[in-house]
Amino acid sequence: MSWIDTHAHLYSDEFLTDQQEMVKRALDAGVTTLLLPNIDESSITAMLKLEAAYPKNCFAMMGLHPCYVKPDVENQLRLIKDWLIHRSFRAIGEIGLDFYWDKSLLDQQYLAFKEQLQLARQYKLPVSIHSREATRECINEVKKLQDGSLSGVFHCFSGTLEEAKEIIDLGFYLGIGGVVTFKKSGLDQIVANIDLEHLVLETDAPYLAPVPYRGKRNESAYIPLIGEKVADIKNLKIEEVAAITSSNARKLFKTL
């Protein structure tokens, strides 16, 4: 079986002591494609270094995470734009809105999200959307700009079934990670009612590790545990989940 982790911060400091071993565990587990979303200007060097070390397995995105926008967001966005001119990336991400941690810079969050959606249209790239406690607002912003050219994934999906269907109608995928293994998350009920053709798998490593590693550092080698849970929910063979979700990821992120 071959798996794709569509969202993993494998360049983060949590992996400084064992990054090579961690990547090897992922490859040994059949997780052969690892997509790396950017955070802000401080994460670019480490992300590109990891991509360069594993050019057949690691693929970088470029974007500004909503939790890391600053009052001078225009300067942050200028750097993102410069990188997109400088070289190619697999997607625009991680972008979006976050109403959980801090609402003091909402204007900057909205500006960054809108401008990066426009960049996705300009460069014909998919987007990886962060929407913590802001799923409805993110859907609304995508709707305003969806002219048929926008594509992407609502990473770590945590909305309602109605919102899930709305996202699918917009031509987007739902990113399913370790939360689906949590007993009281309710995500299992969403997955049960959504066709597998609309799902991609992710870890969001080092965060949100699946059971039995919940509360510990997450890593890409745990993707099969997420796939196994999805297979159980949908009464499918795990091989089918691997094949279909990986095919979905290849369609979305192109030429993986």
Side-chain angles (χ1 to χ4, degrees):
M1 286 183 291
S2 178
W3 302 89
I4 294 176
D5 186 350
T6 60
H7 196 107
H9 303 277
L10 305 181
Y11 51 80
S12 67
D13 288 349
E14 284 86 344
F15 299 110
L16 280 179
T17 60
D18 67 338
Q19 189 181 69
Q20 287 186 336
E21 295 85 349
M22 177 271 299
V23 173
K24 185 178 186 302
R25 286 193 292 271
L27 299 179
D28 288 346
V31 189
T32 56
T33 301
L34 313 166
L35 284 148
L36 313 175
N38 190 51
I39 295 296
D40 63 6
E41 57 272 17
S42 69
S43 56
I44 295 172
T45 298
M47 177 182 67
L48 295 182
K49 184 178 178 182
L50 179 59
E51 182 190 54
Y54 299 93
K56 294 182 180 179
N57 306 106
C58 292
F59 301 92
M61 305 183 196
M62 180 51 61
L64 174 61
H65 191 298
C67 292
Y68 292 81
V69 299
K70 299 175 181 176
D72 65 338
V73 66
E74 290 87 355
N75 287 331
Q76 290 180 291
L77 289 170
R78 192 171 297 116
L79 179 63
I80 301 300
K81 293 172 184 176
D82 287 345
W83 271 105
L84 288 168
I85 292 170
H86 178 66
R87 53 152 286 176
S88 62
F89 289 90
R90 208 50 75 154
I92 306 289
E94 173 173 358
I95 69 174
L97 301 170
D98 187 299
F99 294 173
Y100 178 79
W101 290 111
D102 184 2
K103 294 184 179 180
S104 64
L105 295 174
L106 282 187
D107 288 346
Q108 288 86 346
Q109 282 196 40
Y110 271 102
L111 174 63
F113 189 29
K114 292 174 183 177
E115 287 212 14
Q116 290 179 103
L117 287 173
Q118 293 281 19
L119 288 171
R121 294 207 308 187
Q122 177 183 343
Y123 286 94
K124 297 180 173 58
L125 289 172
V127 293
S128 183
I129 295 178
H130 173 109
S131 58
R132 190 169 187 185
E133 294 197 3
T135 303
R136 166 49 48 200
E137 290 78 5
C138 285
I139 290 172
N140 291 345
E141 293 306 314
V142 171
K143 274 187 174 179
K144 292 175 188 176
L145 291 173
Q146 181 57 289
D147 59 357
S149 66
L150 279 176
S151 65
V153 54
F154 273 66
H155 132 72
C156 197
F157 176 75
S158 59
T160 65
L161 180 59
E162 291 72 25
E163 287 169 337
K165 292 178 177 177
E166 218 171 327
I167 288 165
I168 290 165
D169 287 343
L170 283 167
F172 278 62
Y173 290 87
L174 307 178
I176 305 299
V179 175
V180 76
T181 69
F182 300 173
K183 281 187 177 180
K184 297 182 180 180
S185 72
L187 187 57
D188 56 340
Q189 296 303 311
I190 303 290
V191 170
N193 286 281
I194 297 294
D195 193 278
L196 199 59
E197 299 287 343
H198 305 298
L199 307 181
V200 294
L201 302 186
E202 59 175 54
T203 58
D204 199 21
Y207 316 108
L208 299 172
V211 174
Y213 301 103
R214 185 176 183 180
K216 299 180 181 180
R217 188 189 71 173
N218 200 2
E219 57 181 79
S220 292
Y222 299 158
I223 279 282
L225 294 172
I226 299 165
E228 183 177 28
K229 180 63 176 181
V230 171
D232 289 344
I233 292 168
K234 303 192 76 62
N235 195 27
L236 295 170
K237 292 181 178 179
I238 191 170
E239 291 85 358
E240 190 172 358
V241 173
I244 294 176
T245 58
S246 295
S247 175
N248 295 342
R250 283 190 289 269
K251 289 175 187 174
L252 177 61
F253 294 103
K254 309 289 191 289
T255 64
L256 287 176

